[in-house]
């Protein structure tokens, strides 16, 4: 009996060793990355999700996958982040694609371009409409892989030192504005300026620029634009749903275990949703405080919006004529957008219009 018990125990131990061996062989590696953001730490709704995501990744991997975060300017400037990742100087960055429009106009389509989609429509295109796959197929030329990691929702039209009622009021106006939106506004006589967020207030205060757009009430209050440019315009028709992406060196991404890749994707998706929720939750109260502090809310005139829409479509046609990649991705996005609005006007828009009417009745 003792001999049979010993043999059974021995057999059990052998089976356990056989089962455990692969687990030991597959011990997850220690990974340490550096990530440069295009945003300052003071803008917690933009920079904050990066910190949150990296903590989630570390916790999900028992501290084996660590990402150290750096704000704009700590390693590289806000507009040099992609170059740093492509060159292998850092492993990843947090930036919107339209920051690199001077390098490649196709990259602006990753973030946002004028008169396209709202945040839910853009996420539908990215996650379910094939948009993100199109993007990643394209950005391989920069030796990067990208993952959506945030969206502010529709932005405001910016802060102006004087009122802009007509197209004539825009002529010669120096306006801090990024991406293809700057090219659209240039067609209307504006002189676009690409300035990092952290330097925008001082540029307005010193009169280097006449107007600036950033995000919306929550961030704009932090940057104190109301002190130097009281006219606050809406809507930001160039940014209905600007996506912030995580850009990762392609070799670094490929070297990650599949489990790490999935953890990264899940954490980024959660933070993509969370960034929108942060802005939706905090913008209303911030807008009230800005108005109390002297902000003069103004809608862009129909004249300006119609001219901007015409200019945007002219630019899309010009870029498509000379850039096959821009044409391919833009037309894919536009076709998806048109289908979305067929549905939107039936349910979403009609619901919002109904709720606005009921709210106005009290």
């Amino acid at each position: 009996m003792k001999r049979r018990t010993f043999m059974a125990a021995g057999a059990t131990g052998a089976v356990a060793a056989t089962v455990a061996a692969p687990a030991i062989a597959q011990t997850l590696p220690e990974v340490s990355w550096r990530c440069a953001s295009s945003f300052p730490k003071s803008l917690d709704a933009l920079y904050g999700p990066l910190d949150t995501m990296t903590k989630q990744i570390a916790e999900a991997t028992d501290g084996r996958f660590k990402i150290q975060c750096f704000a704009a300017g700590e390693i590289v400037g806000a507009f040099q982040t992609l170059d740093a990742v492509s060159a292998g100087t850092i492993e990843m960055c947090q930036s919107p694609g339209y920051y690199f429009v001077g390098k490649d106009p196709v990259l602006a389509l990753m973030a946002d371009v004028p008169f396209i989609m709202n945040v839910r429509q853009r996420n539908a295109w990215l996650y379910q409409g094939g948009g993100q796959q199109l993007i990643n197929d394209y950005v391989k030329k920069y030796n990067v892989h990208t993952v959506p990691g945030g969206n502010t929702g529709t932005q405001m039209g910016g802060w102006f030192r004087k009122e802009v009622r007509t197209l004539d009021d825009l002529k010669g106006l120096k306006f801090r504005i990024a991406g293809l939106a700057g090219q659209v506004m240039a067609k209307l006589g504006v002189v676009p300026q690409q300035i990092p967020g952290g330097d925008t207030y001082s540029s307005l205060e010193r009169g280097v620029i006449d107007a600036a757009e950033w995000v919306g009430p929550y961030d704009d209050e932090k940057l104190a634009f109301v002190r130097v440019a009281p006219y606050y315009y809406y809507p930001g028709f160039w940014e209905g749903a600007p996506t912030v992406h995580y850009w990762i060196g392609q070799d670094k991404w490929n070297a990650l275990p599949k489990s790490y890749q999935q953890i990264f994707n899940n954490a980024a998706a959660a933070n993509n949703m969370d960034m929108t929720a942060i802005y939706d939750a905090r913008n209303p109260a911030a807008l009230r405080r800005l108005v109390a502090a002297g902000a003069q809310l103004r809608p862009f005139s129909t004249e300006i919006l119609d001219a901007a829409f015409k200019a945007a479509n002219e630019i899309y046609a010009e870029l498509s004529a000379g850039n096959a990649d821009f044409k391919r991705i833009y037309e894919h996005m536009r076709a998806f957008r048109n289908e979305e609005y067929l549905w939107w006007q039936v349910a979403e828009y009609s619901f919002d219009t109904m709720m606005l009417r009921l709210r106005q009745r009290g």
Side-chain angles (χ1 to χ4, degrees), residues 96-99 107-113 122 135 151 241-245:
Y98 53 46
Y99 273 14
L107 300 181
L109 297 173
M110 294 177 60
D112 214 355
V113 293
R122 175 163 282 274
I135 288 167
N151 198 303
T243 296
V244 176
H245 272 85

Side-chain angles (χ1 to χ4, degrees), residues 206-334:
R206 291 182 286 114
V208 174
I209 55 176
D210 305 304
E213 61 84 34
W214 181 241
V215 175
Y218 181 67
D219 282 347
D220 293 358
E221 182 185 32
K222 286 177 175 290
L223 294 174
F225 294 140
V226 67
R227 296 178 186 172
V228 289
Y231 297 102
Y232 199 20
Y233 277 82
Y234 64 90
F237 54 82
W238 48 84
E239 292 185 89
T243 296
V244 176
H245 272 85
Y246 296 119
W247 308 63
I248 307 117
Q250 187 69 64
D251 294 342
K252 295 297 182 181
W253 179 259
N254 292 343
L256 286 179
K258 293 297 182 184
S259 59
Y260 283 13
Q261 291 181 357
Q262 190 60 52
I263 288 168
F264 190 105
N265 286 335
N266 289 345
N271 282 272
N272 186 30
M273 179 179 67
D274 195 39
M275 184 184 288
T276 305
I278 289 171
Y279 279 109
D280 283 348
R282 299 179 186 178
N283 275 334
L287 182 59
R288 289 183 181 278
R289 291 192 297 268
L290 286 169
V291 170
Q296 302 294 309
L297 283 177
R298 298 285 190 275
F300 283 122
S301 67
T302 300
E303 178 190 13
I304 290 174
L305 291 175
D306 286 348
F309 183 72
K310 180 175 181 289
N313 284 311
E314 289 173 355
I315 286 174
Y316 300 147
E318 292 164 6
L319 287 170
S320 294
N323 187 323
D325 290 311
F326 183 94
K327 179 180 180 180
R328 175 173 52 85
I329 297 176
Y330 170 69
E331 289 187 350
H332 186 279
M333 177 187 294
R334 184 180 63 178

Side-chain angles (χ1 to χ4, degrees), residues 5 29 71 85 101 149 166 324 338 347:
T5 301
V85 176
V101 68
T166 68
N338 291 345

